Amino acid sequence: MKSTEERAYETLTENLSDDGIDVTDVEDRLRAQRVETPSWGYADTGTRFAVFPQTGVPRDPFEKMADAAQVHGLTGVCPSVAIHIPWDEVNDYGELKGHAESLGLRIGAVNPNLFQEPEYKLGSVCNPDDAVRRKATDHLLECVEIAKETASDILSLWFADGTNYAGQDSFTERRHRMIEALGEVYAAMPERMRMLLEYKPYEPAFYHTDLADWGAALTMSQKLGERAQVLVDLGHHAKEVNIEYVVALLLDEGRLGGFHFNNRKYGDDDLMVGSVNPFELFLIYVELVEAEERSDTRIDYMIDQTHNIEPKMEAMLLSVMNLQEAYAKALLVDRTALTEAQRAGDVLAAHRTLLDAYATDVRPLCARVRESLGGAPDPIAAFQRSGYAEKVAEERGAGAGAGWN
Ligand code: RM4
Ligand code: MN
Ligand code: MN
């Protein structure tokens, strides 16, 4: 007798094949999907108001890698881990790289931290004080070195720089200071390395932010060179901004370099991917799939989340699963029918083509893909059965925060 899962998979794939979909191709592409997880998502992080500690969270970057290896093992698509410096500072980066490799992982994007030291009160690379700008630039250069030592090829930059009051500083001078600092860092990057520029409209700065939106990040990347690209963090837009449109525009300019997946209701909430607006996530993937078919643009897909009240490992697993489902649904869109409807001006048919794909329950397909990658059909259930949480709770006790507390 076939199991319920087997029957669900067979029914789904038979229906898809009947609709003219090449299921093998969809599965291959799902197997090739990659999602980078953030070291800080495994540690205790929270809001400005409180960090609720959880037992068993990693005490150091090595333990964060161990947790990331669990996520990769159960999903099959998360072989790299982003690090934040100094939160993940170690004496020997070669050792961290070796440790990651021994777990089947590699170090992903290196994220410099330029927002917590007292000198950065008025900004880092945009600060009016030469000495502070020098310190910030030196930290960026140090991160280029760390990337070299860990064989990472991405320097991922987010600046808290901005002002709180009208008249506080000159917008233009601040922009020129950033161009100068980043120009120096760009020149220090080896050929294989890319620089990703992340924008954010506000917070911690409340009047203006130096890289506030995609336009500011895009023009900055154009000033620096081809290996500077824009990173889209789903929590970094004003409410109601059409993110899928921003994605299409950056793709068309050849400047979309990376993603920080998370979800938000109001601000930079860093909630689990797909938890608030799964339809938006699907529509973003519809644009990404189209671009994938057009060119060989390299985009690094990363999660950027802070789990404050939810169990961290399960939160990461669910986020990865939601990304697999969004991608799978986007792969099911009947592109021919969509283009025909669009060109014929058939608004309803075009829209329904998207809805058809979105409404498909792709979970049996994603489960099968994970299994074929050595992962688990239901990663959360498998994780809970594994006893890993209990084991690390015993070993690590209270753990440590990522720098929030
Ligand atoms: C920022 C931004 C960055 C992340 C920091 C911790 O809001 O999203 O990507 O590195 O938070
Ligand atoms: Mn981010
Ligand atoms: Mn953020």
Side-chain angles (χ1 to χ4, degrees):
M1 249 268 291
K2 284 182 182 155
S3 69
T4 321
E5 289 77 16
E6 274 166 344
R7 282 202 309 271
Y9 174 79
E10 276 172 19
T11 312
L12 172 63
T13 50
E14 270 166 30
N15 289 343
L16 292 176
S17 300
D18 287 351
D19 287 344
I21 289 164
D22 182 346
V23 177
T24 316
D25 179 59
V26 169
E27 290 185 343
D28 285 347
R29 290 172 73 176
L30 283 169
R31 262 193 288 275
Q33 186 182 20
R34 290 292 171 266
V35 178
E36 181 161 308
T37 69
S39 71
W40 55 99
Y42 298 102
D44 278 332
T45 49
T47 68
R48 293 190 276 149
F49 300 102
V51 173
F52 299 112
Q54 296 183 14
T55 44
V57 298
R59 290 165 295 187
D60 57 41
F62 294 89
E63 291 182 350
K64 291 177 191 170
M65 295 294 155
D67 285 6
Q70 291 292 312
V71 172
H72 180 43
L74 292 162
T75 60
V77 295
C78 303
S80 63
V81 186
I83 56 173
H84 231 299
I85 306 296
W87 294 340
D88 293 314
E89 199 164 57
V90 291
N91 290 328
D92 183 348
Y93 287 97
E95 192 188 347
L96 186 63
K97 172 178 177 276
H99 177 68
E101 284 166 0
S102 74
L103 295 163
L105 300 173
R106 60 183 172 75
I107 307 292
V110 177
N111 293 251
N113 181 319
L114 291 169
F115 45 88
Q116 283 185 311
E117 278 143 272
E119 289 98 318
Y120 297 142
K121 187 166 87 171
L122 302 181
S124 63
V125 292
C126 301
N127 198 296
D129 184 336
D130 294 352
V132 178
R133 289 206 303 284
R134 189 66 254 158
K135 177 184 152 115
T137 311
D138 285 344
H139 180 54
L140 294 173
L141 293 170
E142 181 197 347
C143 286
V144 171
E145 289 308 310
I146 293 172
K148 286 187 197 165
E149 286 169 50
T150 53
S152 154
D153 57 4
I154 310 171
L155 186 68
S156 193
L157 308 181
W158 170 68
F159 296 98
D161 289 53
T163 58
N164 272 11
Y165 292 97
Q168 183 187 318
D169 201 355
S170 154
F171 298 141
T172 315
E173 273 183 36
R174 291 180 71 90
R175 182 159 188 265
H176 293 171
R177 291 171 200 148
M178 183 181 279
I179 292 170
E180 195 188 325
L182 294 189
E184 185 182 337
V185 177
Y186 187 90
M189 294 196 313
E191 264 309 297
R192 57 176 184 83
M193 202 179 288
R194 284 147 66 235
M195 178 189 279
L196 302 183
L197 297 173
E198 180 174 356
Y199 56 87
K200 178 170 170 173
Y202 79 97
E203 195 197 32
F206 294 122
Y207 171 60
H208 108 284
T209 295
D210 289 293
L211 284 185
D213 60 18
W214 63 266
L218 174 65
T219 50
M220 183 61 64
S221 75
Q222 287 164 338
K223 287 232 165 345
L224 295 169
E226 281 200 341
R227 287 177 294 121
Q229 294 171 313
V230 181
L231 182 145
V232 175
D233 181 312
L234 296 192
H236 292 192
H237 301 86
K239 256 183 90 64
E240 316 303 354
V241 164
N242 185 331
I243 303 177
E244 55 272 24
Y245 165 71
V246 173
V247 167
L249 191 150
L250 291 171
L251 282 168
D252 197 41
E253 284 297 309
R255 289 281 175 167
L256 182 65
F259 255 96
H260 271 178
F261 287 114
N262 49 50
N263 219 174
R264 55 79 74 88
K265 182 93 177 147
Y266 303 104
D268 187 19
D269 307 340
D270 285 334
L271 300 172
M272 290 180 288
V273 181
S275 58
V276 181
N277 195 342
F279 190 52
E280 175 186 70
L281 184 64
F282 161 74
L283 294 175
I284 289 168
Y285 264 100
V286 170
E287 298 304 323
L288 292 167
V289 165
E290 200 198 303
E292 235 175 51
E293 284 163 6
R294 271 201 315 253
S295 69
D296 58 353
T297 6
R298 173 165 162 203
I299 302 167
D300 285 275
Y301 299 101
M302 315 172 215
I303 289 176
D304 180 9
Q305 290 176 181
T306 59
H307 312 120
N308 196 24
I309 59 165
E310 60 277 49
K312 298 172 203 300
M313 294 292 286
E314 285 94 326
M316 202 68 90
L317 291 167
L318 184 56
S319 296
V320 176
M321 290 161 71
N322 287 343
L323 286 166
Q324 290 177 310
E325 284 168 30
Y327 184 39
K329 289 179 182 194
L331 288 170
L332 299 186
V333 171
D334 184 339
R335 300 276 162 179
T336 317
L338 183 63
T339 308
E340 269 169 25
Q342 287 173 343
R343 295 199 179 144
D346 192 339
V347 180
L348 206 67
H351 184 61
R352 291 192 70 198
T353 304
L354 294 188
L355 293 184
D356 276 345
Y358 181 65
T360 311
D361 183 358
V362 293
R363 289 175 296 180
L365 189 72
C366 294
R368 184 62 70 96
V369 164
R370 280 190 292 270
E371 240 181 333
S372 75
L373 291 169
D378 182 343
I380 295 179
F383 175 74
Q384 288 173 343
R385 273 197 313 267
S386 73
Y388 184 83
E390 294 74 14
K391 185 176 97 69
V392 292
E394 178 109 338
E395 281 167 19
R396 300 173 182 168
W404 256 261
N405 40 5

